[in-house]
């Protein structure tokens, strides 16, 4: 009789329900086709129910203290992933790692692994919206934009439906392509996405634009947030004049390059404020604003509130 693979899922308050269910459901369907190949255990810090970001309460099977041995443990979180981090949680994960457990992070779960000093030279991924905050807090860790990353002892995933792709890949490696594709068809998916597929829609789809010069200009802006490029420099790198660039933005997006660029940086700033515990000064610098006062004025103009009023928790200061 085959011994089932057992996955432990540590759910933290505010976790992504979609990311969590996208991990469980492939295992459930795998068992439908091949009875008993997988088992899963839901873990919380104290064994009690945990609220997802959508407010739904999920009952845990066990508490962390009851799990002293595990083969694979996924940390599942969502917005503000470090709010629930404690030295006890970090010590628990480090102990499991020392015993040979594979540790994973779904959505922003990798924040917990990084805070516990459990990411070394491994490449990691997470939800694109939290990537800037992660890079600011853990600059020495290699972040990639893949849907998921599978290393020997670490597994990370962008969350959402990308978690289905991760689990299908794991199932394919363990039980073959036929089972993985059968599960994919049950979910009415067109196929199994590769881990290198993009998390976000490309610029052309996001803004419904098709001019190659304009697309390149926006891509340059998105890749130069901390040290913004001057409009003249963007035009030069795109291969057109400043006036031509301004006409493109006006015709296609009803905006100016400078105002559009500022909007991108403010959107990034809001993501960092709402998905991290970085200080306002750190966010200001990371998004390329020349001073806190300039940042605050621009933020108020766009969102009608001050940066400090657009977050629910103070900066996080705990260490593993």
């Amino acid at each position: 009789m085959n011994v089932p693979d057992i996955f432990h899922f540590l759910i933290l308050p505010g976790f992504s329900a979609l990311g969590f269910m996208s991990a469980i459901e492939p295992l459930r369907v795998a068992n439908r086709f091949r009875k008993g190949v997988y088992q899963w255990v839901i873990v919380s810090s104290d064994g009690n129910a945990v609220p997802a970001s959508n407010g739904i309460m999920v009952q845990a099977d066990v508490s962390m203290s009851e799990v002293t041995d595990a083969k694979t443990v996924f940390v599942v979180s969502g917005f503000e992933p470090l709010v629930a981090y404690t030295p006890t949680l970090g010590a628990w994960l480090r102990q499991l790692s020392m015993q040979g457990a594979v540790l994973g992070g779904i959505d922003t779960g990798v924040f917990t692994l990084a805070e516990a000093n459990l990411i070394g030279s491994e490449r990691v991924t997470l939800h694109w919206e939290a990537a800037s905050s992660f890079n600011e807090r853990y600059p020495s860790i290699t972040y990639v934009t893949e849907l998921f990353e599978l290393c020997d002892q670490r597994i990370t995933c962008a969350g959402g439906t990308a978690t289905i792709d991760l689990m299908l890949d794991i199932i394919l490696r363990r039980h073959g392509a036929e089972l993985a594709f059968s599960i994919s068809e049950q979910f009415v998916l067109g196929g199994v996405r590769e881990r290198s597929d993009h998390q976000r829609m490309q610029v052309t789809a996001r803004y419904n634009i098709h001019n190659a010069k304009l697309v390149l200009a926006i891509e340059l802006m998105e890749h130069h947030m901390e040290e913004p490029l001057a409009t003249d420099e963007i035009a030069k790198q795109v291969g057109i004049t400043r006036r031509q660039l301004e006409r493109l933005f006006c015709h296609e997006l009803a905006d100016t390059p400078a105002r559009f660029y500022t909007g991108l940086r403010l959107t990034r700033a809001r993501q960092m404020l709402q998905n991290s515990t970085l200080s306002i000064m750190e966010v200001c610098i990371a998004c390329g604003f020349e001073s806190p006062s300039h940042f605050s004025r621009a933020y108020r103009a766009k969102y009608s509130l001050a940066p400090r009023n657009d977050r629910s928790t103070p900066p996080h200061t705990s260490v593993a």
Side-chain angles (χ1 to χ4, degrees), residues 26-35 37-38 171 179 183:
L27 303 179
R28 178 189 66 81
V29 177
N31 284 345
R32 178 184 172 194
F33 288 115
R34 298 188 188 178
K35 188 174 178 61
V37 292
Y38 289 110
I171 291 167
L179 179 58
I183 297 169

Side-chain angles (χ1 to χ4, degrees), residues 91-232:
W92 178 72
L93 288 170
R94 287 192 294 273
Q95 181 62 36
L96 291 175
S97 178
M98 289 174 59
Q99 295 171 192
V102 174
L103 302 181
I106 293 175
D107 199 309
T108 58
V110 67
F111 272 88
T112 300
L113 302 183
E115 195 71 8
N117 294 318
L118 286 166
I119 303 295
S121 60
E122 298 92 350
R123 303 183 344 152
V124 302
T125 192
L126 70 157
H127 194 284
W128 63 267
E129 194 175 51
S132 297
S133 303
F134 185 85
N135 288 333
E136 284 294 318
R137 189 170 184 86
Y138 312 107
S140 64
I141 296 177
T142 303
Y143 162 75
V144 294
T145 60
E146 272 80 354
L147 296 178
F148 57 89
E149 268 295 316
L150 282 162
C151 301
D152 288 341
Q153 294 299 114
R154 300 291 178 265
I155 302 173
T156 52
C157 177
T161 59
T163 316
I164 296 177
D165 300 291
L166 166 65
M167 302 310 290
L168 289 176
D169 191 277
I170 290 173
I171 291 167
L172 186 150
R173 292 166 184 253
R174 180 70 171 84
H175 297 286
E178 182 180 352
L179 179 58
F181 293 150
S182 295
I183 297 169
S184 176
E185 288 181 336
Q186 287 292 305
F187 295 147
V188 200
L189 297 175
V192 180
R193 289 185 294 178
E194 297 291 332
R195 68 180 183 181
S196 58
D197 282 1
H198 295 285
Q199 289 189 29
R200 302 186 70 187
M201 291 187 294
Q202 296 303 287
V203 167
T204 52
R206 271 186 278 143
Y207 298 104
N208 192 27
I209 57 175
H210 302 284
N211 183 286
K213 299 290 188 181
L214 183 57
V215 169
L216 178 56
I218 293 174
E219 289 176 343
L220 284 168
M221 291 176 178
E222 291 184 340
H223 285 89
H224 293 82
M225 294 285 199
E226 188 166 346
E227 297 180 1
L229 300 172
T231 301
D232 287 336

Side-chain angles (χ1 to χ4, degrees), residues 228-249:
L229 300 172
T231 301
D232 287 336
E233 179 60 27
I234 294 172
K236 179 181 178 182
Q237 291 196 34
V238 169
I240 57 178
T241 67
R242 177 188 178 116
R243 181 60 183 153
Q244 288 173 319
L245 183 66
E246 290 173 340
R247 282 200 295 266
L248 274 177
F249 270 87

